Amino acid sequence: MRNRAQKFLAAADAALAGRSIRGGTAHIYALVRLWHWANAAAILVLSLTGYLIGTGTPAIWGMASGGFLFGYIRFAHFSAGYVLSAGFLLRIYWALMGNAHAMQIFCVPLWRRCFWRELHHEIRRYSFLAVEPERGLGHNRLAQLAMFFMFTQTITFMVVTGFALYGQGAGTDSWQYKVFGWVFSLWPNSQDFHTWHHLGLWVIVMFALVHIYAVLWDDVVSRRSFPSIK
Amino acid sequence: MAVQTPNGFNLDRSGKRIVIDPLTRIEGHLRIEANLDSDNVIRNAVSSGTIWRGIEVILRGRDPRDAWAFTERICGVCTGTHALTSVRAVENALGITIPENANSIRNIMQLCLLVHDHLVHFYHLHSLDWVDVVSALKDDPKSTSTLAQSISPWPLSSPGYFKDLQIRLGKFFGSGQLGPFKNGYWGHPAYKLPPEANLIAVAHYLEALDFQKEIVKTQAIYGGKNPHPNWLVGGVPCAINIDGIGAVGAIGMERLNIISSIIDRSIEFVEQVYLPDIAAIFSYYKDWLHGGGLSSKSVMSYGDIPEKANDCSGESFKLPRGVILDGNLKEILPIDHGDPEQIQEFVAHSWYKYPGHCCGLLPWDGITEPSFELGPKLKGSKTAIKELDEGGKYSWIKAPRWRGRAVEVGPLARYIIGYAQGKAEFKEPAERLLKGLNLPVTALFSTLGRTAARALECQWAAHQMRHFQDKLVINIKAGNTATADISRWRPETWRKEAKGYGFTEAPRGALGHWITIKDAKIDNYQCVVPTTWNGSPRDSSGNIGAFEASLIGTPMADPQRPLEILRTIHSFDPCLACSTHVMSHEGQEMASIRVR
Amino acid sequence: MGDATETFYGVIRRQGITRRSFLKFCSFTAASLGLGASSIAHALETKPRVPVIWLHGLECTCCSESFIRSAHPLIKDALLSMISLDYDHMIMAAAGHQAEAILEETRARYKGGYVLAVEGNPPLNEGGMFCIDGGKPFVEKLTSMAEESMAIVAWGTCASWGCVQAAKPNPTRAVPIDKLITNRPFIKVPGGPPIAEVMSGLVTFITTFGKLPKLDHQGRPSMFYSERIHDKCYRRSHFDAGQFVEEWDDTNARKGYCLYKLGCKGPTTYNACSALRWNGGVSFPIQSGHGCLGCSEDGFWDKGSFYDRLTTIKQFGIEQNADEIGMAAAGVVGLAVAAHAAVTAAKRLRHRPDRPAHKGKPS
């Protein structure tokens, strides 16, 4: 199992370095890594700027016309939002076109018996009751669950509400408002969306904490996750 | 059949009953019922407030700094006065003091309300009780012009001006679409004005409609908008910046100039239009001195418009403070808002219940549980009332009492107390007006006196606006530009538990808010409002309130068209959304209409 | 009716507008409506004024008060010449049964031809008797007058969203009008109160153009409610520059910086305040130094303190803002992670790290 993991990761590394091993598969895994790190960067920018937008910055001196600090912060937020959204769209495309693992973070097979068995096993493993990892490739079942609920769902929510709120500024005749403005019929006062969008930031912070820790832990305990190869 | 109430009125409900519901040209919903004797004289009167909104229960658990915005929405006519009372109550509870400039600005805003509200009340809510609009069509514009010029230097008084107006009115009435004048009591025998006086009054009805929107610009400048300007616990939100960077965004020369000009124009309008109209109209009605009611017996005023910031003493207040009982003008009794023996509310005849049922409660401890039940002599049903039974519960208004006594509040009460205190600014204008009409001082105790006191107070308030505007400028000149004290803005700086009260003299009379704060949230909030005093139902000992008292003994010319009742009730300027905003215990399961 | 009728044409002629420019105005209007110019001219010259029935439920009368503040048109012109305000408790001469007779007459005579303007809203608890009108629940009058109306105008936040009496816990169960009446053309004009010129502008739009205005997806006239206070705020440049008022009456407040950090709800409030301003254009809340309360938005009373930037979240049964909840949750997760790491470390100290970590066979 470890060998296999090593093999495909080596392929991924090779792809990143510009060498092609075994054609398309390597490219795709490279793209997934690229997606991952683009996401990480975008989320970092979004979280920091988002926090500042919610709280406000200490006032800067000088004439209003001479400064655009808050404007730049918001610009960075919106740009990173576009990067995240574009990547997310590509990821959805890949989920539809790619192999079964590509679907993992979008679809949790709650109806499958093996899912629950494997999930149970993973919970035991994280509770130090079992040691052997269940499966070889892709996310384990617990990770899949976390990815689906904390990442995929939250990002979907953040993209939709983010564009709806952006549409308010872009104007009710903008495409953003036309595509996403429907959310305001759920809660007519958009103040609610600001609040919940801001809360979404904290869900992602929690996700990032768990995510990074789990990667390192898995690496240390079972030496099977990605960083161990580097 | 007649019974005498403890406060000295004979009631007899055996005669013919008339009902007025809705009583219009007021704020909110009010129902009046009256019994007439065989000579069509009113022998019994019933005042029933018919709305309830529950704002105080909504306030519980909220941030005390927000309370002004909620209470302000109790009433949009006397807009801002509840907000002022609320910030004062919170400041009193938390020991916050405000800067001198904030005091001047708040006074200007409150005085602006007095001027605006009195003017609109007289012309648009009250004048049609004295003025026959249709009769104005019959007049010769030349004689109207002559009359107008004889009573006032107001420039809009040429024969051509009145002719144009008459043509316009002619077209309006000729169209058959009478709009707000439809189904009025035109031609009623109780209208006494000659056609030319009617035409002047109609002209001024329209001019006042144009002008009133100017007065409130004062509130818009200091508070951002009107109705419902913005207020702030600890001061006022508008900052002063006279000649620094960004001054154009704050209170500066240009803003001060607008206000100054509005004050000048207000003084001019009140002195050249409103007061001469009052004198002219009342010269035709000086025989109609009904409607005194409680005013000759018991009146109360909390006092307001402090000269010095944070000083609530009678010396600092420009409007008088005190209570007169039993017509004893020689003794002005002191008021203490924190004394549980003084201000209490009773619910024996109101649609609420208290645990003990008979006792009165100090507003700090006030509780209200709605209890919509009707007396046994009710005619009609619970949701289709034909005649109320005043022996049972009959109003959404509670019955507030001062040391157990019903009192009248409002401009007339303020003028009577000011007069009794011998204050020249109240005594002299009143005497001058009465002398001009050739009436004794006791003529003040009437519907006419109430309406006249309001006009005099309007003039007084306009001049006081000038006083405080000048004071503000002098203070800024001295280098003092602070408008807010934020040392206790943050809840961390507050005591864990606090209670306080705030009060004002609203256009309609004495207004008080009582607040208790616990863990930085509102624990209890109660308002006792002018129309609650005036429009109150009977209390447990049978005392009647000011509305009811004022109607007793008034003869009616045509009971089918109850103009006299409207006239007297309107003279109080009732504000029903204020009086019946009150509170409930949450979680009451009540019969409910299903939404489709 | 001819000469005796007070019409729109009569008003503009009196205001010094010639017949020629009147016809020009009509042809312009006609072009934009796709109608013949002469028919519009004829309509405005002869058409009787639209009857308006204005009802008051649970409210504070601020909408009526705002309406009479209108600077253009002057409200006297609106009342005498543009509409026929046949029923409105606040200013009508008639009272009691004479007043109620007007309602019956209007229903019969102008069936489907009158505008029903509603200020305030009906309470449903206590059989509707928290608002009694003519001895009966107000809701009865409202629904009966709505049936025969041409359109309904919901004045203010009470009629549009519920406003203060519907704030939690809404003891009277006050409901917005469109929860009760769903089968009539319906226009929401929210605000606590709406701006005077927005109210008179809506009324004159209907009388001038003979149609109802374009509405947004929340039922508000797009012409007044399609942009936020924030979008046209004159302090917007300070927002973009990151210049905020930190405390009341500080240097920044005196310079007129952005009120964002003091809880201004301009960024989430759709209204025309920053563009049209109030009371003939002299000011609006932000210009006078106080943040926007968001009074034209649904449920603005229940979003926490007006002075908080991040509004209170009550869904979890506690009152905290997003940052407080988020930081607490992230803290818990952080602690859990740390505890898990500690347990892992302890375990690894007890077992030799180079020993295979699992008993099963490698795949």
Side-chain angles (χ1 to χ4, degrees):
Chain A
M1 181 176 168
R2 202 176 140 196
N3 291 344
R4 265 171 67 182
Q6 270 178 342
K7 227 182 266 173
F8 86 69
L9 284 159
D13 270 356
L16 276 173
R19 282 175 283 134
S20 171
I21 295 173
R22 268 191 246 162
T25 326
H27 276 112
I28 287 165
Y29 283 106
L31 282 173
V32 172
R33 297 324 297 152
L34 187 66
W35 177 67
H36 174 270
W37 288 108
N39 265 353
I43 286 175
L44 189 68
V45 172
L46 282 164
S47 307
L48 290 174
T49 54
Y51 182 80
L52 287 174
I53 291 168
T55 330
T57 53
I60 58 153
W61 293 99
M63 288 290 144
S65 51
F68 200 66
L69 177 65
F70 214 59
Y72 289 130
I73 292 174
R74 294 173 70 242
F75 178 74
H77 191 80
F78 302 145
S79 307
Y82 269 107
V83 169
L84 183 79
S85 311
F88 198 61
L89 273 181
L90 285 173
R91 184 66 182 75
I92 292 171
Y93 172 78
W94 186 59
L96 297 172
M97 306 307 286
N99 61 20
H101 298 300
M103 225 20 208
Q104 265 193 342
I105 65 166
F106 290 96
C107 178
V108 183
L110 297 172
W111 58 91
R112 288 223 182 107
R113 196 167 261 255
C114 67
F115 171 83
W116 292 103
R117 185 175 49 76
E118 289 164 17
L119 179 68
H120 182 242
H121 180 83
E122 282 303 322
I123 292 171
R124 281 169 52 83
R125 196 167 75 89
Y126 279 89
S127 317
F128 309 103
L129 298 171
V131 280
E132 181 197 359
E134 182 64 44
R135 296 164 68 238
L137 263 182
H139 297 289
N140 69 49
R141 290 307 193 188
L142 192 61
Q144 184 185 6
L145 208 62
M147 284 299 285
F148 180 74
F149 283 108
M150 292 182 79
F151 180 78
T152 314
Q153 299 251 29
T154 313
I155 293 294
T156 310
F157 176 80
M158 295 302 267
V159 167
V160 170
T161 55
F163 271 103
L165 294 173
Y166 184 80
Q168 291 198 309
T172 42
D173 51 353
S174 63
W175 71 262
Q176 291 91 343
Y177 198 86
K178 282 179 184 150
V179 176
F180 295 100
W182 56 269
V183 300
F184 298 119
S185 41
L186 304 178
W187 289 318
N189 188 340
S190 63
Q191 180 71 26
D192 290 323
F193 282 100
H194 281 266
T195 306
W196 289 95
H197 190 76
H198 200 79
L199 200 61
L201 152 73
W202 289 103
V203 175
I204 289 176
V205 167
M206 284 187 274
F207 167 77
L209 276 174
V210 172
H211 177 67
I212 293 167
Y213 175 73
V215 167
L216 294 174
W217 184 81
D218 233 19
D219 183 47
V220 171
V221 173
S222 48
R223 296 180 185 281
R224 70 180 267 277
S225 65
F226 302 119
S228 63
I229 304 147
K230 302 260 165 93
Chain B
M1 275 298 277
V3 275
Q4 196 182 33
T5 68
N7 54 350
F9 294 91
N10 291 312
L11 304 179
D12 180 358
R13 83 187 297 273
S14 60
K16 176 174 59 180
R17 184 93 155 188
I18 58 168
V19 177
I20 309 167
D21 184 7
L23 195 134
T24 54
R25 274 182 283 132
I26 58 162
E27 199 295 328
H29 299 257
L30 175 67
R31 178 186 181 99
I32 295 288
E33 298 189 10
N35 292 88
L36 309 182
D37 65 13
S38 50
D39 299 325
N40 287 339
V41 174
I42 298 171
R43 293 297 173 202
N44 178 38
V46 176
S47 145
S48 167
T50 54
I51 50 170
W52 184 82
R53 294 204 290 159
I55 287 176
E56 282 128 321
V57 70
I58 291 165
L59 271 166
R60 271 188 217 145
R62 298 188 189 255
D63 189 326
R65 296 169 301 178
D66 290 344
W68 66 262
F70 288 80
T71 57
E72 188 169 52
R73 268 74 181 178
I74 287 172
C75 181
V77 176
C78 40
T79 179
T81 197
H82 279 280
L84 173 60
T85 315
S86 174
V87 294
R88 281 180 179 165
V90 176
E91 286 158 4
N92 177 266
L94 300 173
I96 298 171
T97 55
I98 62 166
E100 205 59 59
N101 288 335
N103 184 57
S104 295
I105 290 173
R106 285 181 179 183
N107 280 343
I108 294 167
M109 288 173 76
Q110 175 77 351
L111 290 160
C112 164
L113 171 69
L114 285 177
V115 174
H116 176 270
D117 206 70
H118 287 353
L119 189 74
V120 169
H121 173 261
F122 177 69
Y123 283 104
H124 308 116
L125 307 183
H126 193 28
S127 70
L128 299 181
D129 304 328
W130 311 95
V131 174
D132 185 340
V133 180
V134 175
S135 140
L137 297 172
K138 296 174 198 149
D139 173 51
D140 166 24
K142 271 207 195 93
S143 56
T144 308
S145 171
T146 313
L147 176 65
Q149 286 168 2
S150 74
I151 58 172
S152 163
W154 186 243
L156 292 174
S157 61
S158 70
Y161 175 73
F162 289 115
K163 176 110 190 110
D164 283 353
L165 174 67
Q166 213 179 28
I167 291 171
R168 189 172 190 189
L169 289 175
K171 279 193 176 186
F172 178 79
F173 283 101
S175 74
Q177 288 186 292
L178 268 57
F181 305 116
K182 194 172 175 144
N183 285 11
Y185 305 130
W186 317 126
H188 192 286
Y191 284 124
K192 302 283 187 209
L193 296 186
E196 50 266 40
N198 280 321
L199 186 58
I200 293 174
V202 175
H204 293 169
Y205 177 102
L206 296 173
E207 284 173 37
L209 200 51
D210 285 353
F211 183 67
Q212 51 84 24
K213 70 178 194 307
E214 302 298 313
I215 307 170
V216 297
K217 286 180 179 171
T218 312
Q219 283 201 350
I221 283 167
Y222 288 134
K225 72 201 236 288
N226 172 285
H228 296 334
N230 292 313
W231 300 75
L232 186 71
V233 168
V236 287
C238 56
I240 296 171
N241 186 347
I242 294 298
D243 56 1
I245 293 169
V248 78
I251 299 299
M253 205 59 247
E254 180 265 354
R255 302 272 99 180
L256 293 169
N257 283 343
I258 301 186
I259 290 173
S260 210
S261 129
I262 293 167
I263 293 172
D264 288 344
R265 290 164 66 201
S266 301
I267 292 173
E268 195 178 54
F269 195 91
V270 172
E271 294 188 342
Q272 295 189 14
V273 180
Y274 186 6
L275 281 177
D277 281 0
I278 289 284
I281 290 172
F282 286 171
S283 67
Y284 296 98
Y285 284 100
K286 55 186 186 181
D287 301 333
W288 203 85
L289 291 175
H290 302 287
L294 274 181
S295 63
S296 59
K297 298 175 187 287
S298 304
V299 290
M300 179 176 78
S301 169
Y302 291 162
D304 197 2
I305 315 297
E307 178 68 48
K308 288 190 226 114
N310 314 305
D311 183 351
C312 289
S313 65
E315 292 72 49
S316 174
F317 283 141
K318 301 217 133 192
L319 280 173
R321 176 173 172 81
V323 185
I324 290 175
L325 290 183
D326 304 319
N328 181 5
L329 299 186
K330 295 204 175 64
E331 192 184 9
I332 315 283
L333 303 162
I335 304 174
D336 178 357
H337 288 82
D339 180 354
E341 297 298 309
Q342 295 193 16
I343 297 162
Q344 294 181 329
E345 291 192 295
F346 297 81
V347 295
H349 293 274
S350 312
W351 285 315
Y352 307 97
K353 57 184 175 206
Y354 280 168
H357 223 282
C358 58
C359 58
L361 287 177
L362 174 77
W364 266 328
D365 313 317
I367 41 172
T368 314
E369 211 175 306
S371 165
F372 185 67
E373 43 189 77
L374 296 144
K377 290 182 193 157
L378 173 88
K379 290 193 183 161
S381 72
K382 215 172 172 183
T383 54
I385 298 165
K386 290 204 166 57
E387 279 176 25
L388 287 164
D389 175 11
E390 65 272 24
K393 290 178 182 287
Y394 65 92
S395 179
W396 282 119
I397 307 179
K398 283 182 169 186
R401 296 293 183 255
W402 190 79
R403 293 193 189 278
R405 310 290 284 271
V407 293
E408 177 175 330
V409 298
L412 179 57
R414 296 193 277 257
Y415 267 71
I416 291 170
I417 295 167
Y419 191 101
Q421 287 172 335
K423 290 189 170 169
E425 64 270 34
F426 302 108
K427 195 171 177 178
E428 282 165 15
E431 281 176 342
R432 208 177 308 127
L433 181 74
L434 290 167
K435 205 173 158 206
L437 291 168
N438 210 3
L439 286 170
V441 172
T442 49
L444 271 182
F445 305 128
S446 65
T447 295
L448 191 145
R450 219 170 271 123
T451 302
R454 185 171 290 109
L456 296 174
E457 189 176 75
C458 188
Q459 182 194 24
W460 174 85
H463 284 282
Q464 287 299 318
M465 275 173 91
R466 162 60 58 214
H467 168 79
F468 282 103
Q469 180 71 6
D470 291 348
K471 192 175 172 185
L472 177 67
V473 171
I474 289 166
N475 210 28
I476 296 172
K477 232 180 189 170
N480 185 352
T481 54
T483 53
D485 178 355
I486 50 132
S487 58
R488 295 218 182 129
W489 174 253
R490 290 179 198 290
E492 300 87 81
T493 62
W494 301 348
R495 287 194 300 273
K496 204 171 148 46
E497 283 184 42
K499 60 182 189 174
Y501 55 79
F503 56 87
T504 49
E505 279 296 318
R508 290 152 186 81
L511 166 64
H513 288 190
W514 283 257
I515 187 174
T516 54
I517 298 169
K518 205 171 167 186
D519 300 326
K521 302 274 182 225
I522 295 170
D523 192 45
N524 196 6
Y525 202 103
Q526 306 283 319
C527 316
V528 183
V529 176
T531 301
T532 318
W533 289 98
N534 286 339
S536 74
R538 290 139 166 90
D539 58 34
S540 42
S541 14
N543 291 300
I544 60 175
F547 284 6
E548 293 177 350
S550 69
L551 293 174
I552 307 298
T554 303
M556 296 187 67
D558 176 1
Q560 274 307 301
R561 298 192 294 164
L563 184 64
E564 296 88 347
I565 292 181
L566 291 188
R567 195 178 271 172
T568 292
I569 295 296
H570 283 156
S571 74
F572 289 95
D573 191 3
C575 183
L576 270 293
C578 281
S579 63
T580 56
H581 51 84
V582 284
M583 44 291 179
S584 102
H585 271 317
E586 48 243 90
Q588 291 297 305
E589 271 299 320
M590 285 169 275
S592 180
I593 292 171
R594 193 162 297 164
V595 185
R596 268 193 288 164
Chain C
M1 295 188 191
D3 231 28
T5 315
E6 181 79 3
T7 61
F8 185 81
Y9 175 62
V11 184
I12 65 171
R13 280 305 294 272
R14 233 190 346 270
Q15 287 167 351
I17 294 163
T18 61
R19 174 140 185 100
R20 195 156 159 260
S21 14
F22 172 67
L23 289 176
K24 209 166 144 194
F25 162 79
C26 290
S27 56
F28 174 75
T29 310
S32 59
L33 293 176
L35 301 169
S38 60
S39 66
I40 294 244
H42 182 74
L44 292 179
E45 276 172 359
T46 56
K47 204 171 63 179
R49 287 167 283 126
V50 177
V52 177
I53 299 296
W54 187 311
L55 298 183
H56 296 250
L58 291 186
E59 41 88 302
C60 76
T61 315
C62 71
C63 297
S64 293
E65 283 284 339
S66 186
F67 188 64
I68 66 170
R69 308 283 194 267
S70 171
H72 40 268
L74 287 172
I75 223 57
K76 112 187 139 184
D77 290 331
L79 292 184
L80 291 180
S81 317
M82 296 174 189
I83 56 169
S84 186
L85 185 59
D86 292 338
Y87 186 96
D88 175 3
H89 279 190
M90 188 179 114
I91 62 164
M92 67 193 299
H97 61 88
Q98 282 91 351
E100 300 311 273
I102 296 174
L103 294 179
E104 281 315 303
E105 189 192 323
T106 306
R107 267 170 62 93
R109 195 161 152 202
Y110 298 101
K111 201 170 175 171
Y114 62 90
V115 171
L116 180 68
V118 186
E119 178 174 358
N121 52 22
L124 301 185
N125 274 348
E126 199 66 87
M129 294 300 267
F130 283 127
C131 184
I132 313 171
D133 194 333
K136 294 177 182 171
F138 166 70
V139 65
E140 281 184 17
K141 184 185 267 188
L142 173 69
T143 45
S144 108
M145 288 313 290
E147 276 166 20
E148 307 292 349
S149 68
M150 172 171 77
I152 296 169
V153 178
W155 287 139
T157 303
C158 290
S160 300
W161 300 121
C163 205
V164 65
Q165 57 269 19
K168 283 167 190 153
N170 191 355
T172 62
R173 227 180 119 219
V175 291
I177 310 300
D178 61 344
K179 288 269 189 299
L180 290 168
I181 298 150
T182 48
N183 57 354
R184 297 277 107 194
F186 197 93
I187 305 169
K188 287 183 176 179
V189 191
I195 302 172
E197 286 77 20
V198 164
M199 300 177 80
S200 60
L202 174 77
V203 169
T204 48
F205 180 95
I206 297 171
T207 56
T208 306
F209 295 102
K211 63 170 186 177
L212 301 181
K214 201 176 116 206
L215 304 179
D216 69 6
H217 64 280
Q218 296 191 15
R220 306 169 295 196
S222 302
M223 54 185 167
F224 297 120
Y225 292 92
S226 59
E227 284 185 300
R228 300 168 300 168
I229 307 281
H230 192 52
D231 295 321
K232 286 201 159 50
C233 182
Y234 79 109
R235 296 192 181 191
R236 180 61 189 261
S237 58
H238 293 294
F239 172 83
D240 287 331
Q243 295 178 320
F244 303 109
V245 176
E246 303 286 341
E247 276 169 338
W248 300 106
D249 200 26
D250 67 1
T251 334
N252 297 355
R254 293 177 185 191
K255 285 181 177 170
Y257 282 3
C258 175
L259 292 158
Y260 188 70
K261 285 168 99 170
L262 293 181
C264 177
K265 303 294 183 287
T268 51
T269 305
Y270 283 85
N271 208 334
C273 306
S274 56
L276 299 183
R277 308 204 176 190
W278 279 78
N279 305 98
V282 293
S283 192
F284 75 110
I286 293 165
Q287 188 174 349
S288 294
H290 197 287
C292 165
L293 301 179
C295 74
S296 53
E297 289 293 320
D298 177 37
F300 76 101
W301 298 106
D302 292 324
K303 306 294 171 206
S305 171
F306 297 122
Y307 303 105
D308 287 342
R309 175 73 258 142
L310 296 170
T311 46
T312 312
I313 298 170
K314 294 190 176 173
Q315 277 78 353
F316 304 121
I318 42 166
E319 282 187 33
Q320 302 290 321
N321 71 32
D323 274 349
E324 290 160 346
I325 291 174
M327 279 183 199
V332 169
V333 170
L335 282 177
V337 163
H340 197 269
V343 174
T344 309
K347 286 214 160 219
R348 288 177 69 82
L349 279 177
R350 274 202 270 142
H351 305 283
R352 295 249 306 278
D354 54 348
R355 225 171 63 189
H358 46 80
K359 292 172 200 153
K361 289 179 207 161
S363 54

